[in-house]
Amino acid sequence: MPDQPLLLWFRRDLRLADHPMLAAALDSGRPLLPVFILDPETEAIGAAAKWRLGEGIATFARALEALGSQLVLRRGPALEVLQALARETGAAGVRWSRLYDPASVARDRQVKAALRAGGLSAESHAGHLLHEPWEVQTGQGGFYKVYTPYWNAVRQRPVADALPVPKRLPAPAQWPESDRLEDWRMGAAMQRGAAVVARYASVGEVAAQARLRGFLDARLERYADARDLPGVEATSRLSEHLTYGEITPRAIWHAGMRALHEGVPGAEKFLKEVVWREFSYHLLHHTPQIASENWRNDWQSFAWRGDSDDAERWRRGMTGEPFVDAAMREMFVTGTMHNRARLIAASYLTKHLLTDWRVGQAWFEECLIDWDPASNALGWQWVAGSGPDASPYFRIFNPATQAEKFDPDGGYRSRYIAELSTAPGPEALGFFEAAPRRWGLTPKAAYPAPMIGLAEGRDRALAAYAARNA
Ligand code: FAD
C-alpha cells in the first residue's frame, strides 16, 4: 500500500543535504516518519558526546519541522521501538544510514534480520563515509594496513556528486506520540561542564556548512603550514559535525577537490587528513578489535600500567607539563582538542606515564564532543605504537621541545592554563568552572611541579620497550 509510511531511523546522520537514505526514501513516494531512538547503545556513549548529540537532535528536529515533518523520539532497545512504531503506524519498512563500529554493526544486523523476518522491508544506506570500507581493496583483494597506499588507492576513486536538500518531506496522516527531548536529560552526566562546552560547540547542518565555507575562504591556503600550531585557528574544525553526520565527507571532498584544481596550496594536505578518517573506518571494519585490543599481537605482553593516580593527574590537566595540561584542559573546556595536542597528550600518557592506551581512549571518549569510534581508536593505537602503520614506540614526543616548536610564543599554553598567566582569559578560567567540584581545583593554587622528569619518563618507557623485545 503506497500510503504506508517508511520509518527513517536517524542516528549519526542528522542532516537533510547529501543524504542517500533520505533521497531513496523520498523516491519511494511514501509518507516518511523520521525517528530517533535513545537505545542502550546510544545511552552508553561518553558524557560530552551524549550532551552534544542532544543538541544535534534538537537542531535537526527544527530543520525537519521547517519541511513539514517531525522527529519522533522514543527510548528503548532499537528493535522493540521500531517494531512498536511499525505496529502503531502501519509502516511498510525501516531505512537507516550505515554505521561501522562493532556495537552498531551487531545491533543493526540483528534489527535488519528481525524486521525482515516480521515481514517489514529493512534497508541500510551509505552516507557516513566517502567509500564503503569493503569497496577499497588492494591488488590482491585484501584490505590496506598502511596509510600511503590507501591514500593512493582512494585519491583517484570517483566520488558521486552530493545530493540536494529536499524541499518537503511527505508526512504521514497521523503522527505517533513522541518523548520530550528534555526528559532524556542528555547533558546530565556533563553536570556543570555542559554550560562551558556549549560556548564552543557548533551545532547543526547550517553551522557545518558555514564552517566549511569559512575554512575554505580564510584558512585552507595556510593549512599545510599552520595545521600543527594549536595556538592558531588553522584547521577546519569539522570533526564535530562529521561525528553526528551534520555534513558528509563527500561534500567536504568535492569542496577540497575544487580547491585542489584551483591550485590552492593546502588543499591536498587537507584531503589527505579527510582520508585518515576513511582509513580509520576501513581498519575498524576489517579489524574491529582495533577498538579494544592491541592491533599488533606482539603488543599483548607489553607491561602497560593500568589506571592510577598518575593517570588521574593526566585526566585533570595537572601533570605539571604545560603542553600536556593545556591539551587536557582544552578538551575539558571546548569538548575538542587540537590534533597536535592529542598527539602530545596521548604520547605522554602511553610513554612517560607508561599507561595503557585504553585508559586514555576511554577518557577521550568521555570528554570529546567530536568522539569518533574509529579515529579515536586508531589515533591512540598509532601513538602507542600498537596499531597499524603506527609511530614506533621508541619515537617519544618530548612535550617541552614540542611546545617550543609548535607553540613558540606560549599562546596555547597560557590560553588554557590560568596558573601560568597573569591575566587568565575565559578558556583558562572556564576549566575551573567546568571541572567537577570534587576535584577541588582553583586557579589561585600554584601550578604543580612536573610529576616525572622528561628524561626519566623516556628512559622508563624505552626500558619497558626493550624488555618487551628481549
Ligand atoms: P582538520 O585538520 O580540519 O581535518 C579535517 C578532517 O579530517 C577532520 O575533521 C577529521 O574528520 C579528519 N582528520 C584529520 N586528522 C585526522 C586523524 N589524525 N585521524 C582521523 N581523521 C582525521 N578525530 C575525531 O574526529 N574524533 C576522535 O575521537 C579523535 N580522536 C583522536 C585521538 C587521538 C589520540 C589522536 C591522535 C587523534 C584523534 N582524532 C580524532 C583525529 C584528529 O585529531 C581530529 O580529527 C582533528 O583534530 C579534528 O580537527 P579538525 O576537524 O579541525 O581537523
Side-chain angles (χ1 to χ4, degrees):
M1 302 275 284
D3 59 344
Q4 282 181 287
L6 286 178
L7 302 178
L8 309 186
W9 178 22
F10 285 93
R11 298 102 61 88
R12 288 178 177 267
D13 51 348
L14 304 179
R15 65 178 181 281
L16 296 166
D18 196 22
H19 203 306
M21 178 273 271
L22 192 54
L26 276 163
D27 281 349
S28 75
R30 292 180 180 279
L32 302 179
L33 213 152
V35 52
F36 191 94
I37 304 172
L38 185 56
D39 63 351
E41 291 79 359
T42 312
E43 297 262 18
I45 65 176
K50 195 167 169 190
W51 166 79
R52 174 59 178 76
L53 175 63
E55 301 297 298
I57 293 170
T59 306
F60 184 56
R62 285 195 293 276
L64 285 171
E65 281 161 24
L67 296 191
S69 188
Q70 287 185 28
L71 186 61
V72 174
L73 306 180
R74 291 281 174 102
R75 189 174 202 158
L79 177 60
E80 284 174 28
V81 169
L82 291 166
Q83 285 170 330
L85 270 172
R87 276 195 303 276
E88 287 170 41
T89 61
V94 186
R95 305 287 182 266
W96 62 86
S97 307
R98 255 169 241 133
L99 293 173
Y100 307 87
D101 59 286
S104 301
V105 169
R107 174 195 59 195
D108 295 353
R109 277 211 184 115
Q110 194 215 354
V111 166
K112 191 181 259 183
L115 291 175
R116 285 182 176 170
L120 292 168
S121 70
E123 279 167 29
S124 58
H125 292 263
H128 202 56
L129 302 175
L130 280 174
H131 307 286
E132 294 300 276
W134 49 88
E135 286 172 359
V136 182
Q137 293 185 345
T138 63
Q140 291 73 41
F143 66 97
Y144 286 93
K145 302 177 185 79
V146 179
Y147 170 79
T148 301
Y150 179 81
W151 159 252
N152 288 332
V154 301
R155 65 182 306 173
Q156 307 294 355
R157 269 182 79 89
V159 175
D161 288 343
L163 298 163
V165 179
K167 295 205 166 48
R168 261 197 103 61
L169 297 194
Q174 277 201 323
W175 286 98
E177 274 187 19
S178 170
D179 291 358
R180 283 165 11 126
L181 186 57
E182 308 84 85
D183 295 338
W184 284 1
R185 303 189 62 240
M186 298 290 277
M190 281 280 274
Q191 300 176 1
R192 59 191 195 146
V196 176
V197 175
R199 295 172 202 151
Y200 302 93
S202 165
V203 183
E205 182 169 10
V206 174
Q209 302 286 354
R211 265 207 171 163
L212 176 60
R213 275 195 307 276
F215 171 69
L216 294 170
D217 291 349
R219 304 199 292 279
L220 180 60
E221 210 163 351
R222 288 193 56 217
Y223 180 78
D225 301 329
R227 62 177 285 275
D228 264 322
L229 308 175
V232 176
E233 174 135 349
T235 66
S236 70
R237 298 175 61 218
L238 284 166
S239 54
E240 172 183 359
H241 295 293
L242 281 163
T243 291
Y244 305 95
E246 293 166 348
I247 194 165
T248 57
R250 180 157 77 176
I252 298 171
W253 178 261
H254 287 307
M257 273 294 179
R258 272 193 298 277
L260 184 68
H261 291 137
E262 285 162 13
V264 180
E268 178 164 279
K269 187 73 196 147
F270 176 62
L271 290 168
K272 280 184 157 173
E273 295 307 317
V274 173
V275 167
W276 266 103
R277 176 178 178 274
E278 290 287 310
F279 184 51
S280 308
Y281 274 99
H282 182 72
L283 288 165
L284 184 65
H285 169 77
H286 289 286
T287 52
Q289 71 276 16
I290 196 172
S292 51
E293 301 297 325
N294 292 307
W295 192 86
R296 291 173 188 276
N297 264 335
D298 53 344
W299 275 81
Q300 303 298 16
S301 59
F302 189 69
W304 296 116
R305 295 166 76 205
D307 209 343
S308 65
D309 289 348
D310 285 355
E312 183 61 17
R313 279 184 65 176
W314 174 84
R315 281 194 283 264
R316 293 182 182 190
M318 286 287 170
T319 67
E321 211 47 71
F323 203 172
V324 176
D325 292 341
M328 301 307 290
R329 296 182 189 196
E330 179 189 14
M331 178 165 69
F332 222 76
V333 169
T334 68
T336 63
M337 193 194 286
H338 189 276
N339 184 59
R340 174 59 44 181
R342 292 186 211 221
L343 295 170
I344 303 304
S347 171
Y348 187 80
L349 183 75
T350 54
K351 313 275 168 91
H352 287 91
L353 300 185
L354 208 55
T355 301
D356 194 320
W357 57 270
R358 284 162 285 212
V359 172
Q361 178 198 28
W363 186 239
F364 274 30
E365 180 170 347
E366 185 66 5
C367 300
L368 285 173
I369 58 174
D370 71 358
W371 172 70
D372 178 285
S375 301
N376 195 35
L378 183 67
W380 275 97
Q381 295 235 39
W382 189 89
V383 175
S386 56
D389 200 9
S391 167
Y393 186 85
F394 53 78
R395 191 173 298 153
I396 296 177
F397 287 121
N398 177 322
T401 50
Q402 287 280 309
E404 276 166 33
K405 192 165 172 201
F406 296 112
D407 185 32
D409 64 358
Y412 176 68
R413 283 161 287 167
S414 57
R415 184 184 306 157
Y416 289 103
I417 304 184
E419 304 94 305
L420 295 182
S421 166
T422 44
E427 286 85 7
L429 294 173
F431 172 66
F432 296 91
E433 259 182 85
R437 282 201 177 84
R438 66 188 156 75
W439 288 3
L441 302 180
T442 153
K444 301 215 169 67
Y447 183 63
M451 53 196 293
I452 186 165
L454 291 177
E456 188 192 336
R458 181 188 153 79
D459 291 347
R460 184 173 67 176
L462 289 176
Y465 184 66
R468 166 191 166 271
N469 292 327

